[in-house]
Amino acid sequence: TLLHTVLELWVQQSIEAGGFDPAGLARLTDAMLLRETGGFPLLRALWAPRARRALLWAGDEMIARLADGWTPVAAEARGEIGLANGIKLNGTADRIDRNTGGGLAVIDYKTGSPPTIASVKGAIVNQLPLLAAIAEAGCFGLAAAPAQALEYWKLTGGNKAGEVRPALGKQAPDPAAAIAGAIAAVEEVTSELLLSDAPFLPWLHPRLAYGDYQHLARLLEWRDSQNGWSKKDGGQKTGEGGA
């Protein structure tokens, strides 16, 4: 959250000033680190250097991309569109860049591991494609334009300070199919769960995610009793049935 805030402030200030100054990012970074780590020597010694490297890498990367025609035009932009089923979809984009041809790049900062390419292409992880749909509709306070790139910026701050990860792979395919697939997926699930009598399942995709509240629902106990779960075979199903 702190890294997001520093980059948001710097991008907004740079847009208003009409130029991107690395010294401005360094000042914002140092002020944040002094404020947040002043009373915590261990945090100052271990986390602060990584945070500084990650933030300054992001700034250098943005400035380098200016030469390629990509200019940041929005930071932490919030927008909303209406789906075909009447449900409103809203979201916040970490950053949106525009190139000289008018195309948009929707960017999400990650301090952890970004989602896999397969999960984005398969309409399993839909954040970036859905944000791109909002951007293409002109609902982030920017002119409507096609999204030409979906990117995760991995802010590690380690030996490798950061990395740009194209969400759909390094070949940078046209994201139109991924955007259409994400919209279709969210329209389907919202129609089923919000506009019908379908029940909310406690464990829709067991292999993909563990819900925050499954332990409160005693879901693992239910699973073991229903599905013949066996510890001795490494947690594989030994019986039939299940949800």
Side-chain angles (χ1 to χ4, degrees):
T1 301
L2 293 170
L3 269 60
H4 278 64
T5 300
V6 169
L7 291 173
E8 175 191 1
L9 289 173
W10 183 61
V11 170
Q12 289 178 342
Q13 290 176 5
S14 299
I15 292 172
E16 293 171 0
F20 289 79
D21 179 14
L25 177 58
R27 286 192 295 271
L28 289 171
T29 298
D30 290 341
M32 180 274 289
L33 293 177
L34 179 63
R35 180 176 66 251
E36 298 295 334
T37 68
F40 304 94
L42 189 62
L43 193 65
R44 185 167 62 249
L46 298 181
W47 178 76
R50 294 177 65 93
R52 180 179 284 106
R53 281 195 295 269
L55 287 167
L56 298 186
W57 168 84
D60 289 343
E61 185 69 21
M62 276 187 249
I63 291 172
R65 284 162 62 102
L66 292 173
D68 296 328
W70 287 100
T71 302
V73 291
E76 296 297 321
R78 185 168 180 82
E80 179 180 280
I81 58 173
L83 301 176
N85 60 9
I87 297 294
K88 292 182 178 179
L89 172 72
N90 62 71
T92 302
D94 286 348
R95 196 176 91 238
I96 300 175
D97 292 358
R98 189 188 299 277
N99 64 17
T100 52
L104 302 176
V106 183
I107 294 162
D108 187 42
Y109 302 131
K110 293 293 185 186
T111 51
S113 297
T116 65
I117 294 171
S119 67
V120 179
K121 287 184 175 180
I124 296 171
V125 177
N126 294 316
Q127 178 188 11
L128 273 181
L130 292 177
L131 291 172
I134 298 174
E136 288 192 331
C139 295
F140 277 128
L142 304 171
Q148 296 182 352
L150 308 178
E151 296 177 346
Y152 295 109
W153 282 36
K154 187 176 181 181
L155 308 175
T156 59
N159 291 331
K160 191 173 187 178
E163 181 182 5
V164 176
R165 294 270 192 95
L168 298 173
K170 291 185 178 180
Q171 297 303 317
D174 184 351
I179 295 170
I183 288 292
V186 78
E187 286 180 349
E188 179 182 1
V189 74
T190 53
S191 293
E192 179 181 1
L193 296 180
L194 302 181
L195 302 177
S196 77
D197 295 330
F200 281 68
L201 300 180
W203 209 7
L204 186 59
H205 297 295
R207 297 176 184 271
L208 299 179
Y210 185 89
D212 292 338
Y213 302 102
Q214 288 181 8
H215 63 292
L216 298 177
R218 300 173 68 180
L219 188 60
L220 296 181
E221 296 177 33
W222 172 85
R223 180 200 65 184
D224 292 351
S225 66
Q226 295 292 314
N227 297 335
W229 205 267
S230 173
K231 292 182 179 179
K232 67 182 179 181
D233 57 17
Q236 300 296 316
K237 272 188 180 179
T238 60
E240 298 295 331

